[in-house]
């Protein structure tokens, strides 16, 4: 990242703090050899892994189990031209251990859409990167868009 | 998409109407063999191609020129458990034709961060897909998260 390009690189701790307050993120993976993006609700595990919950027979669970994927969350103010974006890259795993499933039932995210059998998916926080838009209108008080 | 999974598939026209009102989307591509996601402001061209504007020497322009990528926009209400997501998949091209550059300077998106030399990137709307969350709390009046 270029220090003059209007973005500030965020360190891992900053990224995780921002993720903690984001209700929605996007799973990015490959589907039929094309990039696929799906918004999901999520939360962070105590080791900062990303936790999602979905139907056991969902296409998503089958597509990403055991695969390195990206998970992105952001918050962008289109009026103020400010915001941030964080990407977690790591292996996704469907949780099959019953004890672990029980723990995640207590602390994990809730489903928005009920399904008879649900599973948790963990994304290991192997690589956590982020950037903040700092050269927007808000920071310098100048409308750079005109 | 399963009609019972809480999502409704959106047709191309519905997707394009939603994109027209979204100020922000996310470019999804591959970077160093890993998935990369970057929020950007955008608008639609008259033929519904996605238009972005960036620095001519940006990493993004070099990474996606001539490559099939995904572009995603969404609007999700985490309280109401409702929302939509649209993905445009198609080839991205840096616009090099001066006449076309001039046209896009008039109708294209504005930069949030000024740079000395800017280019426009078009993403052809080859595949436009979307879904709407219809089984959330708002629609049925039942809090499915509890």
């Amino acid at each position: 990242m270029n220090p003059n390009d209007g973005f500030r690189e965020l360190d891992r701790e900053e990224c995780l703090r921002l993720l903690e307050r984001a209700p929605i993120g996007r799973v990015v993976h490959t589907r039929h050899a094309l990039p696929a993006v799906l918004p999901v609700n999520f939360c962070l595990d105590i080791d900062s892994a990303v936790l999602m919950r979905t139907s056991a027979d969902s296409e998503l669970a089958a597509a990403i189990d055991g695969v390195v994927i990206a998970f992105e969350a952001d918050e962008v103010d289109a009026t103020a031209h400010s915001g941030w974006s964080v990407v977690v890259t790591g292996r996704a795993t469907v949780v099959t251990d019953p004890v672990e499933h029980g723990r995640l039932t207590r602390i994990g995210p809730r489903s928005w859409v009920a399904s008879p059998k649900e599973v948790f998916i963990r994304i290991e926080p192997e690589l956590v990167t982020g950037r903040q838009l700092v050269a927007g209108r808000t920071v310098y008080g100048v409308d750079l868009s005109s």
Side-chain angles (χ1 to χ4, degrees), chain A residues 4-109:
Chain A
N4 298 319
D5 69 359
F7 294 97
R8 183 174 75 85
E9 199 163 350
L10 300 169
D11 66 30
R12 185 181 177 97
E13 290 310 311
E14 289 175 306
C15 289
L16 294 175
R17 277 202 301 275
L18 290 166
L19 281 184
E20 274 173 3
R21 74 181 205 203
I24 300 291
R26 293 154 200 93
V27 177
V28 177
H29 63 107
T30 302
R31 184 171 174 269
H32 306 319
L34 290 173
V37 190
L38 189 69
V40 296
N41 63 317
F42 76 104
C43 69
L44 294 186
D45 204 345
I46 47 176
D47 65 352
S48 301
V50 172
L51 294 173
M52 305 179 297
R53 186 175 186 159
T54 185
S55 165
D57 59 1
S58 67
E59 196 180 334
L60 182 67
I64 70 175
D65 190 22
V67 176
V68 173
I69 63 164
F71 180 84
E72 189 260 4
D74 59 50
E75 192 179 296
V76 179
D77 183 328
T79 306
H81 296 188
S82 63
W84 57 265
S85 169
V86 168
V87 177
V88 175
T89 309
R91 187 172 302 273
T93 314
V94 172
V95 174
T96 54
D97 178 65
V99 176
E100 181 69 353
H101 182 89
R103 181 180 74 85
L104 297 183
T105 302
R106 292 189 298 276
I107 70 154

